[in-house]
Amino acid sequence: MAVERPAEKVVLVPVLRLPSLVLLLGVVEVAHHLQPGFEVRPVFVVCTVVLLHELRYTLGLWPETSQDVRDLFVHAQVRFPAHNLVGPAVVNALSCRMRAEVRREGVLWVQEYARGVAATPLTEVGTATGSGTTIAFWPDADIFGATEFSFDGLEERFREVAFLNQSLEISLTDLRRPDESRSVRLRFPGGTRDFVDFLDGHAAASTPVDTIAFECEDPPMGGVVEVAFRWCSCPGERVQSFANSRPTVGGTHTVGFRDGMTAAVTAYAREQGLLTPTAPGFGAERIGEGLTAVVSVKLDRPEFEGSTRGVLGNSEVRDCVGQAVRDHLGRWLKEDQDRAAAVIGRIVQGARRD
């Protein structure tokens, strides 16, 4: 039976690449709307990104929201939400000029800003069809010095966001030079499983085992865990981690992932007599040899550490991710002895060589 495609929501999201910084203006806003509390599934979201010298991004509003239109403009004022998510406020603060338009209940509302401060009152300017919010902004050259937009940088980041949000499709088009236009369409229904395939590249064809992938909600953690991983013939370990769709350089989610991997593999090896009860378990480095993994958590209240906020610090995440990985990997190993033997045998042989 044919499945009716849900209504599309159009989003235009610009991002600046500066000499030493990639500013994800709007990307984090999209991720914010995909977090717990802003559930979009099974709604299919279409994000259309257009690069122009004058930049616009449009966020579709959920039809069932009861939020007053004036509240939408409050979020454009220069302030930082308590849950550390970046939204229109930062776009506004870093722009010499910004124009916000809201289409709501047949009315078009407009307000202009200059360097983070409202320059005009909220004004009803006419009628509108549909619903949505459009932000047009001009990056402040006094802050950035240069406002060069990188198609490659955008494509790389949007590909990550699309992998991490299965219900999201992103189309990126560069119209700055009509004779050199570029376009790419990004949608990955397999989510993190597709992400692992992408990271492995050509090595995926020679992968001896399946990809282990799961997603589960964990109330004690206050969010959702999504993990995909597999072993292949490539040397080394390739683990990428994310919190609320933003890249991290480590944290409690990756520590928990390795805890769960070590516990599941060691327990199975002891059950099969490959390790004696008194023998030390396998180390995380040995288990990680040839491993490709994506570890993603989406949390109601993420806590980040360090000056760059690249390390996830929520203490409860470690145990929750670790238990989820141990349970799923443990079941996967027991379901098929042949594929389990391919994984465990490789680890045992490597340990013996060490």
Side-chain angles (χ1 to χ4, degrees):
M1 184 178 72
V3 178
E4 182 179 355
R5 178 170 172 167
E8 296 180 349
K9 303 180 188 302
V10 178
V11 185
L12 302 185
V13 186
V15 177
L16 290 172
R17 179 178 288 276
L18 303 177
S20 61
L21 177 68
V22 177
L23 271 177
L24 299 177
L25 302 180
V27 172
V28 181
E29 180 67 12
V30 172
H32 168 67
H33 283 280
L34 296 176
Q35 303 314 313
F38 293 86
E39 184 64 49
V40 299
R41 294 179 181 174
V43 175
F44 184 79
V45 182
V46 174
C47 173
T48 304
V49 184
V50 180
L51 292 181
L52 296 167
H53 295 292
E54 174 189 333
L55 302 174
R56 289 182 171 84
Y57 69 88
T58 301
L59 297 173
L61 296 179
W62 272 249
E64 63 272 17
T65 181
S66 59
Q67 187 177 26
D68 186 88
V69 65
R70 290 170 178 80
D71 293 337
L72 299 170
F73 287 90
V74 171
H75 294 294
Q77 304 301 321
V78 179
R79 63 188 184 88
F80 293 86
H83 51 296
N84 296 324
L85 288 169
V86 179
V90 175
V91 178
N92 196 1
L94 300 178
S95 302
C96 62
R97 176 188 171 196
M98 191 180 89
R99 174 185 172 92
E101 302 177 1
V102 171
R103 298 177 299 283
R104 176 91 172 146
E105 297 177 347
V107 178
L108 175 62
W109 300 81
V110 175
Q111 189 168 27
E112 300 266 355
Y113 303 85
R115 290 185 166 84
V117 179
T120 65
L122 174 60
T123 306
E124 180 181 338
V125 298
T127 60
T129 58
S131 63
T133 303
T134 299
I135 304 294
F137 67 91
W138 291 254
D140 194 335
D142 291 341
I143 296 175
F144 300 122
T147 56
E148 179 71 21
F149 289 83
S150 169
F151 184 94
D152 294 336
L154 284 165
E155 181 181 359
E156 178 181 355
R157 179 64 181 119
F158 288 148
R159 179 178 287 107
E160 289 180 343
V161 174
F163 276 130
L164 298 170
N165 298 279
Q166 299 178 34
S167 300
L168 178 64
E169 177 183 298
I170 302 178
S171 296
L172 172 62
T173 304
D174 188 348
L175 298 179
R176 291 171 295 181
R177 301 174 182 84
D179 56 334
E180 300 178 6
S181 62
R182 301 171 62 185
S183 182
V184 64
R185 187 174 181 177
L186 306 166
R187 187 191 175 205
F188 306 102
T192 54
R193 185 187 296 272
D194 288 344
F195 203 165
V196 168
D197 289 343
F198 174 78
L199 293 175
D200 271 351
H202 296 296
S206 61
T207 299
V209 295
D210 300 330
T211 300
I212 303 102
F214 67 88
E215 179 180 359
C216 62
E217 185 173 359
D218 195 308
M221 187 183 73
V224 176
V225 180
E226 187 172 3
V227 174
F229 58 94
R230 70 166 169 228
W231 286 268
C232 70
S233 57
C234 294
E237 179 187 77
R238 294 157 301 284
V239 176
Q240 293 202 13
S241 62
F242 301 85
N244 288 21
S245 297
R246 56 179 289 176
T248 57
V249 294
T252 51
H253 53 334
T254 57
V255 175
F257 170 72
R258 290 187 169 89
D259 288 346
M261 296 285 289
T262 302
V265 170
T266 300
Y268 184 83
R270 292 195 195 283
E271 291 174 5
Q272 300 300 312
L274 300 173
L275 281 177
T276 65
T278 58
F282 300 117
E285 291 185 1
R286 171 46 53 198
I287 294 174
E289 183 66 25
L291 179 70
T292 303
V294 174
V295 182
S296 173
V297 294
K298 295 177 182 177
L299 306 172
D300 293 332
R301 295 188 175 276
E303 299 172 3
F304 296 96
E305 300 174 352
S307 58
T308 60
R309 296 171 64 242
V311 178
L312 186 67
N314 298 64
S315 58
E316 66 279 4
V317 169
R318 176 176 180 174
D319 290 340
C320 293
V321 173
Q323 190 60 53
V325 171
R326 178 173 185 171
D327 291 345
H328 284 82
L329 177 56
R331 284 196 298 269
W332 183 88
L333 291 170
K334 293 177 181 179
E335 286 171 356
D336 190 319
Q337 291 186 351
D338 291 338
R339 66 188 184 189
V343 170
I344 303 300
R346 176 189 177 108
I347 295 171
V348 170
Q349 291 176 6
R352 289 171 178 169
R353 287 195 300 268
D354 294 341

